[in-house]
Amino acid sequence: MSNYKDKYEMVIGLEVHAQLKTNTKIFAREGCEFGKSPNTETSTVTLGMPGVLPVLNKECVNMAILTGLALNSTIPNRCKFDRKQYFYPDLPKGYQISQYDEPICQGGWIQISNKKIGITRAHLEEDAGKLVHAGAAGLYGSSYSLVDLNRAGTPLLEIVSEPDMRSSEEAREYVETLRNILRYIGVCDGNLEEGSMRADCNISIRPIGQKEFGTRAEIKNVNSFRSLVRAIEYEFIRQAEILEDGGKVIQETRLWDDTSGTTSSMRGKEDAHDYRYFPEPDLMPLEISREWIEEIKSKMPELPNEKMERYQKAGLSEYDASVIVNQMELALYFDKLLEKNVDAKTASNFLTGEIAAYLKEEKISIEDSKLTVDNFAQLLDLLKKGTISNNIAKSLVVEILKTGEDAKTLVDKKGLSVISDESSILPIVQKIIKDNPEQVAAYKGGKDKLFGFFVGQIMKETKGRANPQLLNKLLKDELDK
Ligand code: ADP
Ligand code: MG
């Protein structure tokens, strides 16, 4: 069976909910840390008691503005909040405070490798609580559900993209790029598995060449990059099969199931009027002055694409720069190294080579390793000065990652520094020549390649410590005698 890709094209737009890293909730004063004991972070505002009033957390606004600036959005000087009516057991108020027609960020774009993806808008809203579906037999049947309202009122920024993506790979790259930006500007920790970043995926298909979009399905419950790609590929085939059978795709919300690798219908898609949006009467429209925006702009940290450029200017290949930038902890570490004036290219070779391999194997981050910036810089300095060879530096870096021992002390203790005095190397050169008369004869007979053989023998004898330039010179002189 063909996979339909020569006949249909997919169209994808994403709605990403990013949980803002504030200390307190968006309209209430209690904390919103993950993993607290159920219903301990619940004020009267969160519980939706009658007569209580929401108070907007300014830090949420600061973070939304910072995000908007990073996503090339316009921050209008006025936005407002609206009520979106739902009935959910984990939403005691019976409505969610969100932003409807006047969001805090309008328009924008982010760059992925082959194109720009448009951002439609980004708006602030509150999260709902959590239902815990208990397995044990309950009063009314085989199971029951419990409500935990700790998460209710957690600040979210919903970032809506234009339907600009045409493949699961583009969708993946978009979410990765967005996640990186949010992490670098410090507004969201981007943890898909823990749900601090959630992507709802809208996908439709159309015959190749057709201009109009097809009817979309919205897929929820996608909580890893792998499942995002799988869900899109599954949904593409499901929709293509419907069209091939002469059917029509219906607009609905579908749930991704990671175990079976399929999506299933959850509910028909509501239209905006089903929510009965109206302006939130308990909150004033929000006025954002140019000065406020300028103040936030002045605090904008370096963005991932700017870091990429700077690293490439410092001598890294595009690939190496991206490996470092895509792991924020590594990049922040690398920046501290660069402040110590190490050679960027050499440092990155170690970081993306031996160090990355070690961290991956131990499943730890660079900060959890014992390799401090100062110690690593010292090691690189010993290498730069020619005190130790490249191979020795490589084995030492792994040792230091484990033990945290001081580079210089280790080199002295183990006697690993390069041997650069003639009186130590010459006798070894002479010994190797004496021990290998056949090879010497062959070399003199024109087999130049054997030079490498002698170098290898001498290096073996000195445990890789002979200064290569000096060794080459002495060996040549002796062989030419
Ligand atoms: P809603 O709020 O009802 O989910 P929106 O207009 O906000 O609807 O759109 C939600 C997302 O769906 C956006 O990311 C948008 O790009 C995407 N989208 C809209 N139409 C289509 C379509 N035909 N195919 C794929 N994605 C679409
Ligand atoms: Mg939406």
Side-chain angles (χ1 to χ4, degrees), residues 58-94:
K58 188 174 179 187
E59 198 49 29
C60 297
V61 180
N62 289 340
M63 288 185 176
I65 296 173
L66 189 67
T67 309
L69 294 172
L71 303 182
N72 307 293
S73 306
T74 305
I75 315 291
N77 54 25
R78 182 195 128 111
C79 66
K80 72 172 173 55
F81 290 90
D82 299 277
R83 280 190 188 183
K84 187 179 184 182
Q85 331 288 325
Y86 283 102
F87 174 78
Y88 277 142
D90 54 6
L91 188 73
K93 295 200 301 294

Side-chain angles (χ1 to χ4, degrees), residues 15 17 84 123 158 160 202 216 218 269 277:
E15 295 165 88
H17 290 84
K84 187 179 184 182
H123 64 258
E158 176 173 341
V160 182
N202 295 271
R216 71 188 147 115
E218 182 185 15
K269 175 77 189 158
Y277 277 105

Side-chain angles (χ1 to χ4, degrees), residues 350 374-383 388 393 396-397 400 407:
F350 278 80
D374 283 336
N375 205 3
F376 187 22
Q378 188 184 192
L379 182 76
L380 290 169
D381 192 48
L382 291 171
L383 175 62
I388 53 173
L396 281 181
V397 85
I400 298 172

Side-chain angles (χ1 to χ4, degrees), residues 436-480:
N436 296 283
E438 276 170 38
Q439 280 83 350
V440 173
Y443 175 80
K444 292 196 168 167
K447 278 190 92 179
D448 291 351
K449 274 197 202 142
L450 278 169
F451 194 80
F453 163 80
F454 297 112
V455 172
Q457 295 297 308
I458 297 159
M459 276 301 188
K460 210 164 153 191
E461 196 82 5
T462 59
K463 301 202 170 63
R465 294 169 51 215
N467 175 320
Q469 287 82 22
L470 184 59
L471 159 64
N472 279 347
K473 179 183 168 293
L474 295 177
L475 179 62
K476 192 143 195 349
D477 291 350
E478 286 302 301
L479 285 170
D480 288 349

Side-chain angles (χ1 to χ4, degrees), residues 32 42 111-112 122 213 230 279 326 369 382 440 451 472 476:
C32 34
T42 47
Q111 179 75 43
I112 64 169
F213 290 153
R230 286 174 74 210
N326 288 335
S369 82
L382 291 171
V440 173
F451 194 80
N472 279 347
K476 192 143 195 349

Side-chain angles (χ1 to χ4, degrees), residues 11-15 160-163 202-204 213-214 216 269:
V11 172
I12 301 164
L14 292 163
E15 295 165 88
V160 182
S161 87
E162 289 289 303
N202 295 271
I203 163 170
S204 64
F213 290 153
R216 71 188 147 115
K269 175 77 189 158

